Amino acid sequence: MFIDPQSLATNLPRLEEIERASMRLVTQAVYDFRETAAYIFANEKDKVADIGEDITREALDRIGMSKIDERLFGKVDYKRARYVFHPEYAVRQALFVDSKAEKIADQTTATIQTAQTSLRVRHMRGGLPVDEAGTLPRILNTNRASYLTTTIIVKYGYRESAVGEYSLAGITVAALPNGMLQDAYNASVADTIWRAGRNAPTRGEPFRVRLVFAQLKTKTNWRVQTIPMPPAPFIWED
């Protein structure tokens, strides 16, 4: 009944199909929750990063999804072992959804760690080539089953008033490709979706990289969706 996730290495269109369906699920959940999200941002006094994490979790819990009784570990806010059902197949998936929150002027990128991607990170930094391995496995193997790993980023862009009050201005959702899609999305340092992260290697800070939304969207349009605040309508972009 279930396909072996490893078989997707030779069926990349199917892999893209699974990631697209997952992207639709997360985007719909966040869109349905956007009014409540705006209310939470306006009234919560917590750190903005924690606010974003809470919103994503509540949005996904509200829409609901299949669940496999398997604990996942990783440096992301929301982790779910689940089933993906399609008329022609079914696959077990490890869905990782991470939340970011920055001022709206910084809504063009999202900073990630290598533990949040199974891609190799290839780009230029300071005139030198970077080729850093993502440490999230393409296929997560446990004692019970094998899971296709899928990472989706939800980026909350906010404004801050002179008195320190927040207002949610827009939300960007981005689907990071699984590492099996390396050649299609980041074949070389010149053919990239990344920009140098906000870390200082000279000070021993952990490696960070910024996912550039526009560059990912140029590769595949549906992988980046922008959700405006009410009453502006949202239209899924294929």
Side-chain angles (χ1 to χ4, degrees):
M1 179 179 180
F2 290 94
I3 62 172
D4 178 1
Q6 195 63 52
S7 69
L8 295 169
T10 57
N11 193 342
L12 298 182
R14 176 171 285 182
L15 174 55
E16 293 263 14
E17 181 179 72
I18 294 168
E19 294 193 333
R20 185 178 177 186
S22 304
M23 178 66 169
R24 279 189 177 275
L25 170 69
V26 175
T27 302
Q28 187 67 50
V30 174
Y31 168 73
D32 287 348
F33 203 69
R34 64 176 182 163
E35 290 188 38
T36 304
Y39 176 81
I40 293 171
F41 254 92
N43 291 277
E44 180 61 71
K45 303 304 179 186
D46 209 341
K47 295 179 180 178
V48 288
D50 294 335
I51 296 173
E53 180 179 341
D54 289 344
I55 289 171
T56 299
R57 183 179 296 107
E58 288 188 44
L60 290 170
D61 285 346
R62 177 176 290 188
I63 200 169
M65 66 181 75
S66 63
K67 182 178 180 180
I68 302 174
D69 188 19
E70 179 93 63
R71 180 176 291 277
L72 302 180
F73 299 93
K75 293 186 177 181
V76 294
D77 302 329
Y78 184 93
K79 302 175 281 288
R80 172 64 61 86
R82 75 181 195 114
Y83 299 112
V84 175
F85 294 107
H86 185 274
E88 298 179 1
Y89 61 84
V91 65
R92 294 178 179 89
Q93 179 188 55
L95 178 63
F96 297 98
V97 184
D98 200 58
S99 305
K100 315 289 182 182
E102 293 187 82
K103 291 182 179 179
I104 193 64
D106 296 320
Q107 197 67 358
T108 59
T109 66
T111 300
I112 71 163
Q113 308 172 46
T114 55
Q116 296 171 332
T117 182
S118 58
L119 289 164
R120 296 195 69 87
V121 177
R122 297 168 175 164
H123 67 107
M124 298 295 293
R125 179 168 183 166
L128 298 174
V130 173
D131 189 343
E132 189 83 13
T135 59
L136 185 69
R138 299 176 179 184
I139 307 297
L140 181 63
N141 296 307
T142 71
N143 292 331
R144 298 175 58 186
S146 295
Y147 298 87
L148 173 69
T149 59
T150 301
T151 300
I152 296 177
I153 305 297
V154 183
K155 176 77 177 283
Y156 298 94
Y158 66 90
R159 296 186 178 91
E160 185 176 4
S161 71
V163 295
E165 296 177 338
Y166 302 128
S167 61
L168 186 57
I171 306 169
T172 301
V173 185
L176 269 176
N178 182 279
M180 287 184 275
L181 294 163
Q182 182 78 49
D183 290 345
Y185 288 91
N186 189 200
S188 68
V189 297
D191 182 10
T192 190
I193 56 175
W194 310 106
R195 185 184 302 163
R198 298 181 179 92
N199 65 296
T202 56
R203 289 185 285 181
E205 294 179 352
F207 182 84
R208 298 284 190 277
V209 69
R210 282 182 284 178
L211 171 66
V212 183
F213 295 141
Q215 290 174 213
L216 177 59
K217 193 170 182 67
T218 297
K219 295 279 189 181
T220 303
N221 197 44
W222 61 257
R223 283 192 177 270
V224 179
Q225 302 289 332
T226 301
I227 301 174
M229 290 297 97
F234 166 70
I235 300 174
W236 171 269
E237 295 186 28
D238 276 319

